[in-house]
Amino acid sequence: MDKLSKENLPRHLAVIMDGNGRWAKQRMLRRIVGHQKGVETVRLIVEECSRLGIAYLTLFAFSAENWLRPKTEVKALMALLKKYIRSEIARMMQNNIRFNVIGDRGELPADINREIDEAIARTSGNSGMLLTLALSYGARQEIVHAARQIAIDAASGKITADSIDEELFSDYLYTDRIPEPDFLIRTSGEMRISNFLLWQLAYTELYFTDVNWPDFDRNELAKAFRDYQARERRFGKTSDQLRVSGADARRP
Ligand code: FPP
């Protein structure tokens, strides 16, 4: 296969890592084994994205709705997360990666929050890729949370109703200061957004693959990036307009 060009890669890649359970079931293994294998894929893809110079990588690791899974699975996922964050700090330092979390952290167990705080603090001086894990994350909840904060600030006179526009609204989301994703990958053949980054995905290029997350590898990532590179992002404009104004004028 052709070598992947480093030109025109997404600045921000978002991933819905799906299919751990099915991967395990197909092999008559317990679901948790699929999640364990999924963590290995997380390591691989984080390192590869950092190597390729991706500036922002956002991974959907645990949704607000995932709390409804059987207690044993939730517990096992939390244990995996804790182990992952703790064990990855050294590798993040080696790769100059900054760690970040979005979601309702108030719902997370205290020991996980401690690991998160530690990882954020330890990696805060790094200048490479920003790795964001979405944990206890739901996009509708995020939007409602932003609206509530805006209402509080408007009531206290900190902002006026007139000043509320798209830019200000974005500043109240968990993703403030992170540019919107250019590319979203969802594995395992499901073609849904599942309450992930609903506001931020407005102009994102979407990519769906049948490959389950534990089987997603460097080659699959390169395949997805080649697909992205072949696309024309118009942001509502016509092709002719883009040719006249040049690539920098493409964003809304
Ligand atoms: C979907 O598989 C995956 C998740 C619930 C979240 C992803 C979790 C991991 C990759 C492991 C933990 C992550 C980190 C960062 C340590 P599924 O169980 O929904 O699969 P299924 O749809 O086939 O049942």
Side-chain angles (χ1 to χ4, degrees), residues 159-185:
I159 57 170
T160 62
D162 281 349
S163 70
I164 302 171
D165 56 13
E166 289 182 19
E167 201 184 326
L168 181 134
F169 199 92
S170 299
D171 291 345
Y172 280 81
L173 295 171
Y174 295 136
T175 49
D176 67 317
R177 293 194 294 271
I178 301 178
E180 291 167 11
D182 303 290
F183 196 40
L184 170 85
I185 296 175

Short mmCIF file of all heavy atoms in Angstrom, two decimals, residues 159-185:
data_model
loop_
_atom_site.label_atom_id
_atom_site.label_comp_id
_atom_site.label_asym_id
_atom_site.label_seq_id
_atom_site.Cartn_x
_atom_site.Cartn_y
_atom_site.Cartn_z
N ILE A 159 -22.27 38.50 31.76
CA ILE A 159 -22.43 38.63 30.30
C ILE A 159 -23.85 39.16 30.02
O ILE A 159 -24.72 39.06 30.88
CB ILE A 159 -22.26 37.27 29.56
CG1 ILE A 159 -23.24 36.22 30.10
CG2 ILE A 159 -20.83 36.76 29.66
CD1 ILE A 159 -23.28 34.95 29.27
N THR A 160 -24.02 39.72 28.80
CA THR A 160 -25.36 40.17 28.44
C THR A 160 -25.97 39.17 27.46
O THR A 160 -25.23 38.46 26.78
CB THR A 160 -25.31 41.55 27.75
OG1 THR A 160 -24.55 41.40 26.54
CG2 THR A 160 -24.67 42.60 28.65
N ALA A 161 -27.30 39.16 27.36
CA ALA A 161 -27.97 38.24 26.43
C ALA A 161 -27.49 38.50 25.01
O ALA A 161 -27.31 37.57 24.21
CB ALA A 161 -29.48 38.41 26.53
N ASP A 162 -27.24 39.77 24.68
CA ASP A 162 -26.78 40.13 23.32
C ASP A 162 -25.44 39.52 22.95
O ASP A 162 -25.14 39.33 21.78
CB ASP A 162 -26.62 41.67 23.22
CG ASP A 162 -27.97 42.32 23.03
OD1 ASP A 162 -28.93 41.58 22.77
OD2 ASP A 162 -28.03 43.56 23.15
N SER A 163 -24.63 39.27 23.96
CA SER A 163 -23.27 38.77 23.67
C SER A 163 -23.25 37.27 23.41
O SER A 163 -22.22 36.71 23.06
CB SER A 163 -22.32 39.11 24.82
OG SER A 163 -22.66 38.33 25.96
N ILE A 164 -24.39 36.60 23.58
CA ILE A 164 -24.41 35.14 23.39
C ILE A 164 -24.46 34.82 21.89
O ILE A 164 -25.46 35.07 21.22
CB ILE A 164 -25.62 34.48 24.11
CG1 ILE A 164 -25.57 34.80 25.60
CG2 ILE A 164 -25.61 32.96 23.89
CD1 ILE A 164 -26.81 34.38 26.37
N ASP A 165 -23.34 34.35 21.38
CA ASP A 165 -23.29 33.91 19.99
C ASP A 165 -22.59 32.55 19.95
O ASP A 165 -22.27 31.98 21.00
CB ASP A 165 -22.57 34.94 19.09
CG ASP A 165 -21.17 35.25 19.60
OD1 ASP A 165 -20.66 34.51 20.48
OD2 ASP A 165 -20.56 36.22 19.12
N GLU A 166 -22.34 32.01 18.76
CA GLU A 166 -21.75 30.66 18.65
C GLU A 166 -20.40 30.59 19.36
O GLU A 166 -20.08 29.60 20.02
CB GLU A 166 -21.59 30.26 17.18
CG GLU A 166 -22.92 29.99 16.51
CD GLU A 166 -22.79 29.54 15.07
OE1 GLU A 166 -21.69 29.09 14.66
OE2 GLU A 166 -23.78 29.66 14.34
N GLU A 167 -19.61 31.65 19.19
CA GLU A 167 -18.27 31.64 19.77
C GLU A 167 -18.35 31.60 21.31
O GLU A 167 -17.66 30.80 21.95
CB GLU A 167 -17.51 32.88 19.31
CG GLU A 167 -16.02 32.71 19.42
CD GLU A 167 -15.29 33.99 19.05
OE1 GLU A 167 -15.78 34.72 18.15
OE2 GLU A 167 -14.26 34.26 19.67
N LEU A 168 -19.20 32.45 21.86
CA LEU A 168 -19.33 32.47 23.32
C LEU A 168 -19.88 31.14 23.82
O LEU A 168 -19.39 30.58 24.81
CB LEU A 168 -20.24 33.62 23.76
CG LEU A 168 -20.41 33.72 25.28
CD1 LEU A 168 -20.25 35.16 25.76
CD2 LEU A 168 -21.75 33.17 25.76
N PHE A 169 -20.87 30.61 23.11
CA PHE A 169 -21.45 29.32 23.53
C PHE A 169 -20.38 28.24 23.57
O PHE A 169 -20.28 27.47 24.53
CB PHE A 169 -22.60 28.92 22.59
CG PHE A 169 -23.51 27.89 23.21
CD1 PHE A 169 -24.64 28.26 23.91
CD2 PHE A 169 -23.21 26.54 23.11
CE1 PHE A 169 -25.47 27.31 24.52
CE2 PHE A 169 -24.02 25.57 23.71
CZ PHE A 169 -25.15 25.97 24.41
N SER A 170 -19.53 28.21 22.52
CA SER A 170 -18.45 27.20 22.46
C SER A 170 -17.53 27.31 23.67
O SER A 170 -17.01 26.30 24.15
CB SER A 170 -17.60 27.39 21.21
OG SER A 170 -18.38 27.23 20.07
N ASP A 171 -17.31 28.54 24.12
CA ASP A 171 -16.40 28.75 25.26
C ASP A 171 -16.95 28.11 26.54
O ASP A 171 -16.20 27.87 27.47
CB ASP A 171 -16.19 30.24 25.53
CG ASP A 171 -15.39 30.90 24.43
OD1 ASP A 171 -14.78 30.16 23.64
OD2 ASP A 171 -15.41 32.14 24.34
N TYR A 172 -18.24 27.86 26.60
CA TYR A 172 -18.84 27.27 27.79
C TYR A 172 -18.91 25.73 27.72
O TYR A 172 -19.34 25.09 28.65
CB TYR A 172 -20.24 27.84 28.03
CG TYR A 172 -20.22 29.21 28.69
CD1 TYR A 172 -20.01 30.35 27.95
CD2 TYR A 172 -20.40 29.34 30.07
CE1 TYR A 172 -19.98 31.61 28.54
CE2 TYR A 172 -20.39 30.59 30.68
CZ TYR A 172 -20.17 31.72 29.91
OH TYR A 172 -20.15 32.96 30.51
N LEU A 173 -18.50 25.17 26.57
CA LEU A 173 -18.49 23.71 26.44
C LEU A 173 -17.22 23.15 27.07
O LEU A 173 -16.26 23.88 27.31
CB LEU A 173 -18.56 23.32 24.95
CG LEU A 173 -19.85 23.72 24.23
CD1 LEU A 173 -19.71 23.50 22.72
CD2 LEU A 173 -21.06 22.95 24.77
N TYR A 174 -17.23 21.83 27.34
CA TYR A 174 -16.03 21.21 27.92
C TYR A 174 -14.82 21.37 26.99
O TYR A 174 -13.69 21.24 27.42
CB TYR A 174 -16.25 19.71 28.13
CG TYR A 174 -17.31 19.33 29.13
CD1 TYR A 174 -18.22 18.32 28.84
CD2 TYR A 174 -17.38 19.94 30.38
CE1 TYR A 174 -19.18 17.93 29.75
CE2 TYR A 174 -18.35 19.57 31.30
CZ TYR A 174 -19.25 18.55 30.98
OH TYR A 174 -20.20 18.18 31.89
N THR A 175 -15.09 21.57 25.70
CA THR A 175 -14.02 21.58 24.71
C THR A 175 -13.52 22.99 24.39
O THR A 175 -12.92 23.19 23.33
CB THR A 175 -14.52 20.93 23.39
OG1 THR A 175 -15.78 21.53 23.07
CG2 THR A 175 -14.69 19.44 23.54
N ASP A 176 -13.77 23.97 25.26
CA ASP A 176 -13.29 25.31 24.95
C ASP A 176 -11.77 25.25 24.75
O ASP A 176 -11.08 24.48 25.40
CB ASP A 176 -13.66 26.31 26.05
CG ASP A 176 -12.94 26.04 27.34
OD1 ASP A 176 -12.85 24.85 27.71
OD2 ASP A 176 -12.46 26.97 28.00
N ARG A 177 -11.28 26.04 23.83
CA ARG A 177 -9.86 26.08 23.45
C ARG A 177 -9.41 24.87 22.62
O ARG A 177 -8.27 24.78 22.22
CB ARG A 177 -8.94 26.25 24.66
CG ARG A 177 -9.08 27.61 25.34
CD ARG A 177 -7.95 27.87 26.29
NE ARG A 177 -7.98 26.96 27.41
CZ ARG A 177 -8.65 27.20 28.54
NH1 ARG A 177 -9.30 28.33 28.69
NH2 ARG A 177 -8.64 26.33 29.51
N ILE A 178 -10.32 23.92 22.34
CA ILE A 178 -9.96 22.81 21.44
C ILE A 178 -10.70 23.05 20.12
O ILE A 178 -11.92 23.23 20.13
CB ILE A 178 -10.40 21.44 22.02
CG1 ILE A 178 -9.74 21.21 23.39
CG2 ILE A 178 -10.07 20.31 21.06
CD1 ILE A 178 -10.15 19.90 24.05
N PRO A 179 -9.99 23.08 19.00
CA PRO A 179 -10.71 23.30 17.73
C PRO A 179 -11.66 22.13 17.44
O PRO A 179 -11.46 21.03 17.96
CB PRO A 179 -9.59 23.36 16.68
CG PRO A 179 -8.41 22.74 17.31
CD PRO A 179 -8.55 22.90 18.79
N GLU A 180 -12.66 22.37 16.61
CA GLU A 180 -13.63 21.31 16.33
C GLU A 180 -12.96 20.15 15.58
O GLU A 180 -12.01 20.38 14.83
CB GLU A 180 -14.78 21.90 15.51
CG GLU A 180 -15.60 22.85 16.36
CD GLU A 180 -16.57 23.71 15.57
OE1 GLU A 180 -16.78 23.44 14.37
OE2 GLU A 180 -17.10 24.66 16.15
N PRO A 181 -13.44 18.91 15.78
CA PRO A 181 -12.81 17.78 15.08
C PRO A 181 -12.92 17.94 13.57
O PRO A 181 -13.95 18.36 13.05
CB PRO A 181 -13.61 16.56 15.54
CG PRO A 181 -14.29 16.98 16.80
CD PRO A 181 -14.52 18.45 16.67
N ASP A 182 -11.83 17.59 12.86
CA ASP A 182 -11.87 17.58 11.40
C ASP A 182 -12.39 16.24 10.91
O ASP A 182 -12.99 16.15 9.85
CB ASP A 182 -10.45 17.79 10.84
CG ASP A 182 -9.86 19.07 11.35
OD1 ASP A 182 -10.35 20.13 10.93
OD2 ASP A 182 -8.96 19.02 12.22
N PHE A 183 -12.14 15.20 11.73
CA PHE A 183 -12.41 13.83 11.26
C PHE A 183 -12.89 13.01 12.44
O PHE A 183 -12.32 13.09 13.53
CB PHE A 183 -11.10 13.26 10.71
CG PHE A 183 -11.24 12.03 9.86
CD1 PHE A 183 -12.27 11.89 8.95
CD2 PHE A 183 -10.30 11.00 9.95
CE1 PHE A 183 -12.37 10.75 8.15
CE2 PHE A 183 -10.38 9.86 9.15
CZ PHE A 183 -11.42 9.74 8.24
N LEU A 184 -13.96 12.23 12.21
CA LEU A 184 -14.47 11.31 13.25
C LEU A 184 -14.44 9.89 12.71
O LEU A 184 -14.94 9.63 11.62
CB LEU A 184 -15.91 11.65 13.64
CG LEU A 184 -16.55 10.58 14.54
CD1 LEU A 184 -16.21 10.82 16.01
CD2 LEU A 184 -18.05 10.52 14.37
N ILE A 185 -13.82 9.00 13.47
CA ILE A 185 -13.83 7.58 13.10
C ILE A 185 -14.71 6.84 14.10
O ILE A 185 -14.59 7.05 15.31
CB ILE A 185 -12.40 6.99 13.17
CG1 ILE A 185 -11.47 7.64 12.14
CG2 ILE A 185 -12.43 5.46 12.97
CD1 ILE A 185 -10.01 7.20 12.23
#
